[in-house]
Structure formats: C-alpha cells, structure tokens
Amino acid sequence: MHVRYFAAAAEAAGREEEVLDVDSDATVSDLGSALVARYGPVMARVVTSGSFLVDGLATRDPARRLGARVDVLPPFSGG
Amino acid sequence: MAPSVDPSSRRFARQHVLAGFGLAGQRSLADAHVLVIGAGGLGSAVIPALAAVGLGTLSLVDPDTVDETNLPRQTSHGVADVGRLKVDSAADAAARLAPELQVIRHPVLFSTENATALLDGVDLVIDGSDSIDARYAANDAAAALGIPLVWGSAVGYGAQVGVAWDAHGIDYRDLFPEQPSDDGDSCELTGVLPMVCGVAGALMAAEAVKLLTGIGEPLLGRVAVYDALTGRTREVPYARDPARGAMDVAVGVDSAASGASEPDSEPGSKPSRPRTYSAPELAVALDGANPPALLDVREDWEAAIAELPGSTRIPFGELGARIGELDPSAPVVVYCHLGVRSAHALVFLEQSGFSQASHLAGGIEGWAASVDPGMKRY
C-alpha cells in the first residue's frame, strides 16, 4: 500500500511517502498503530488529530479497510 | 464618501489584457464583497492583494491588536502599528493601494454566534485565521448560505490551502470530518517561517479572484500542501464520503483518541488516576503524601525561562527514543507550555503501557496564571 505523508506527518516519518506491506483486511486503526510504533510520539500527535484519506475519502472510522493509497494529513491552524 | 472602484481604470490595464479576465472579470471584482477572517500572516498577504486587484468591498474580521512578534510575517502592519487593532492597520494598508475600496471593520472574533450576521451580503469568505473554531464556524456558515470559502493555514515551514463550497459538493468537513479538540500546531508553539504566509496568502487570494471571475479550476476537492523546505507543493485529492452523514453520528469527537483507550475504563487499571490536572489540582497533589513525578516535554530554551522544580525533562520530539528512561508504573504528570504537547505525549505514554500518567491542562502558562504569579511567562 502506498502511504503519503504531509506536513508534520512527513516530518515525523522523515519521508514524504513509502510503500508498506499490510494485511489485506487491515484497517485504518491498524495503520495508525503501526505508524505510532514505527515513528513515535510525534506521529502519535498526527494520528490522533490528523486525517487518513483512504483513496481520497477522509475517515475517522478506525474500522475502515485500507485501500491502494492512504494520505496522512494533519490539520494546523496558524494564520 | 470615497468613490467606488472603477473597473475600467487604467490601473487595471494588465488585467484587462489577460486572456479570459478582461473588463468583464474586472467588473465582477468591483461588484464583489469579500469577508476576510484574520488580519494576521495570511491576511497580510490576502488583504493587499485583493485591494490592489480591484475588489469593490472588503470586510475584515479580527479582534486582535498588533504585537511585536507579529511583524516578520504580518507585513500589512508596521512597527508604528504595534498596539493598534489589526483591522485598523490592515484597512490603512489596503487604502494605500486602493482608496476607493469600501472597507468594513469588525474587531470581533468570528464565531458560530455572529457568523450569519457578519456574512450578510458577502459573496465569498476567506479564512486565514489561526483558530480551528473559526474554521469550522466559517465552513458551516458558508455552507448554509451557499457561498464559497477559501481557507488556508500556515505553520512551521508548511501551508495548506483549499476551497470549500458545499453547493458544489465539497467542504472542509470532507477533509477533516471532526473538529480537533485543540488547535493542533500553532505559530506560538511551532514557530513559522514568515514567507510561507506570503505563499499561502497569495494562493488564497488567487483562488478568490478565480472564483469571483469564474476563470480556471478552483482548488475544490484538492488541498495544496506547500513545504518551504523542499520548495514543493503537493496535492491531496479528496471527495465527499457517501456515508458522511451516518459517520458524523457514529463517530464522536473523541474518537480520534480511540487508539488510546481511556485507562480508567480498562480492567486492571487503577480507577483513581485523573487523566488531567488543573494547575491548582496539581499544586495540591504535589503537596500531598505521594506526589507524582513531573515530566517536562518542552525544549531547552523553554525550560531556561521557567520550570517546575524536580522535573525530568525529555523534549517531546525525543520521547519515543527515550521512553525507556521512564517507569511505566509510576504516577507521572506530563507538562509543557500550554497543554497541547503534553496531551499528545499522554496519549503516546498510554499507548506505550503507562498506567499512571496524567497531564497538566493549560501547561506551565496555566500554572503561572493561577498558582505562581511570580513565575516568568513567555
């Protein structure tokens, strides 16, 4: 599966994108846990407040199945 | 009273010859009323751009006054404007470029309560504020009124810009369905490279002009994400989830933290632990028989200004690598400057098996405000 990281997610991962091996029935929640385990507390911030766009659809439903691509985008509010 | 903007003025000659723009586009701008939320970093780029391009009416909403720390990025304001209302200073900046522009000043916070009144007669909203509350209030009010919202955020080395237009099937909630419980990364916390405000503000002003004149393809269903460190702008495409209505009901605001189960409800955990301490509650706990340990997740420079005595300090960004230095079964209260980093650190500690961790709501700033007035603040 293709994962793209944006803004603070890219900083936490140290990369803008990567290909991850995931189980065919893996969920958004599984991906969040895997990313926190891999990249630590900075990624935990992104996982708790950011959007996981599964093939272009934003979801906070942790049980949603993953797709071909997930974009991880944190919100921020600086003006 | 100043005369209204003349779309045929020679001032706009370079736009009159622009393919697809012309006098018709210029007339659309002269007839338009745009409301800008926030006269800060993004507003400082958006407001002069709209004034100069020939907009007819501009409403400005911002309750703040100009602070010295605003000046590097909020370039509509100068040193002499420190202490003035931002809407006054920004209106002056706009008037230098376009004395005929009608400017309406609202030195108030944009909120769900005043949104509908402020948007009366407005054709397009631009939100360049630093408030998540204002973002969702603007989104929902614009959707209800059927008008487009151009939104942007800038922090650190990055910016996001997009267009929300519910009448065309996309709004901000299609990207970020639930309002986060805090403002996330902010300029106070993370800092900001001033130029990212200029880049994002120019993108936002261009989207507004495109929408008002009907040219081009708006950033609808696509977020532009700019990174100054790489110089790249990448795009995140998104669409409305067909199940959005059902999802809104099924998933609560706190579901974001669902990975971090509330330990109080977990079998085997001690039910007495509060997840959150206020500053006065923490003061009482620290004076008690079994005071909790303190974990400061701020940076060196912050600790040099003020800290709570007896703290262990591990900067937030190092917590993952250094978590082994901490005892997962010992009571510990995490704190930072304002309570944002510590809240996220708490979630991480819980996910890592810490059963007795809490955090200080409001951070050391809240401590200085309510417990120790003599403490240095920043």
Side-chain angles (χ1 to χ4, degrees):
Chain A
M1 186 191 53
H2 187 195
V3 185
R4 299 199 304 163
Y5 304 106
F6 293 86
E11 277 170 44
R15 67 198 67 202
E16 292 187 338
E17 54 190 289
E18 65 186 325
V19 175
L20 293 178
D21 284 330
V22 294
D23 294 338
S24 57
D25 60 349
T27 63
V28 167
S29 170
D30 295 335
L31 177 63
S33 302
L35 293 181
V36 171
R38 205 175 168 112
Y39 297 118
V42 181
M43 186 60 90
R45 283 190 71 179
V46 173
V47 168
T48 53
S49 62
S51 257
F52 282 65
L53 294 123
V54 179
D55 294 332
L57 294 184
T59 182
R60 291 261 179 109
D61 176 3
R64 175 169 292 202
R65 292 282 178 83
L66 299 174
R69 190 177 79 192
V70 176
D71 288 339
V72 183
L73 178 72
F76 43 82
S77 59
Chain B
M1 182 160 173
S4 56
V5 172
D6 173 12
S8 63
S9 163
R10 184 175 171 274
R11 239 169 52 207
F12 307 122
R14 302 296 180 269
Q15 289 145 224
H16 292 156
V17 298
L18 194 57
F21 200 101
L23 189 57
Q26 205 62 53
R27 283 201 184 102
S28 301
L29 293 178
D31 288 341
H33 181 180
V34 172
L35 179 133
V36 176
I37 306 168
L42 298 169
S44 281
V46 167
I47 292 161
L50 293 181
V53 80
L55 183 75
T57 307
L58 180 64
S59 287
L60 303 178
V61 185
D62 197 318
D64 293 339
T65 53
V66 178
D67 181 83
E68 195 178 10
T69 61
N70 299 150
L71 298 178
R73 68 188 185 284
Q74 305 191 12
T75 51
S76 281
H77 318 299
V79 173
D81 296 314
V82 169
R84 294 181 74 203
L85 278 171
K86 287 185 181 178
V87 292
D88 288 343
S89 174
D92 289 351
R96 280 195 291 275
L97 295 161
E100 320 89 332
L101 170 68
Q102 308 295 316
V103 181
I104 303 160
R105 306 169 198 196
H106 301 287
V108 298
L109 193 66
F110 190 92
S111 68
T112 48
E113 285 72 36
N114 60 21
T116 307
L118 289 171
L119 291 177
D120 185 37
V122 167
D123 301 300
L124 180 145
V125 195
I126 300 182
D127 179 22
S129 71
D130 57 1
S131 155
I132 288 275
D133 289 338
R135 174 63 42 85
Y136 282 83
N139 179 72
D140 296 349
L145 294 166
I147 60 177
L149 163 71
V150 178
W151 58 266
S153 304
V155 73
Y157 294 99
Q160 309 177 4
V161 174
V163 172
W165 200 354
D166 184 65
H168 289 251
I170 285 286
D171 72 9
Y172 192 73
R173 289 180 185 275
D174 293 314
L175 186 63
F176 296 111
E178 298 295 336
Q179 182 168 343
S181 53
D182 64 60
D183 278 350
D185 280 342
S186 66
C187 297
E188 288 76 17
L189 213 59
T190 310
V192 58
L193 185 73
M195 298 81 206
V196 299
C197 294
V199 172
L203 284 172
M204 293 163 74
E207 288 306 305
V209 167
K210 283 162 58 184
L211 288 163
L212 292 170
T213 58
I215 57 177
E217 182 189 346
L219 268 175
L220 205 56
R222 302 176 290 136
V223 190
V225 184
Y226 170 69
D227 176 13
L229 291 179
T230 61
R232 267 197 285 280
T233 303
R234 296 192 295 158
E235 219 173 82
V236 182
Y238 64 103
R240 176 160 293 179
D241 189 333
R244 168 173 151 171
M247 200 168 69
D248 287 350
V249 176
V251 182
V253 171
D254 289 328
S255 67
S258 61
S261 51
E262 186 69 56
D264 290 0
S265 63
E266 224 174 68
S269 71
K270 296 192 175 65
S272 57
R273 175 186 67 95
R275 275 190 94 228
T276 299
Y277 281 97
S278 68
E281 286 166 353
L282 180 60
V284 170
L286 290 174
D287 276 343
N290 296 302
L294 294 170
L295 174 62
D296 178 1
V297 293
R298 297 172 305 150
E299 304 296 320
D300 290 342
W301 68 268
E302 301 180 86
I305 296 170
E307 62 182 337
L308 301 180
S311 302
T312 299
R313 205 168 54 74
I314 301 180
F316 182 76
E318 298 174 20
L319 191 54
R322 297 176 57 188
I323 196 164
E325 298 173 24
L326 303 167
D327 176 358
S329 61
V332 60
V333 179
V334 190
Y335 74 93
C336 63
H337 183 211
L338 301 169
V340 176
R341 278 169 292 179
S342 61
H344 289 286
L346 174 60
V347 170
F348 176 70
L349 291 174
E350 289 170 348
Q351 286 179 335
S352 305
F354 282 66
S355 56
Q356 297 293 311
S358 315
H359 91 112
L360 173 60
I364 200 167
E365 173 67 17
W367 181 275
S370 60
V371 174
D372 182 3
M375 180 177 266
K376 201 169 170 193
R377 295 159 81 163
Y378 63 101

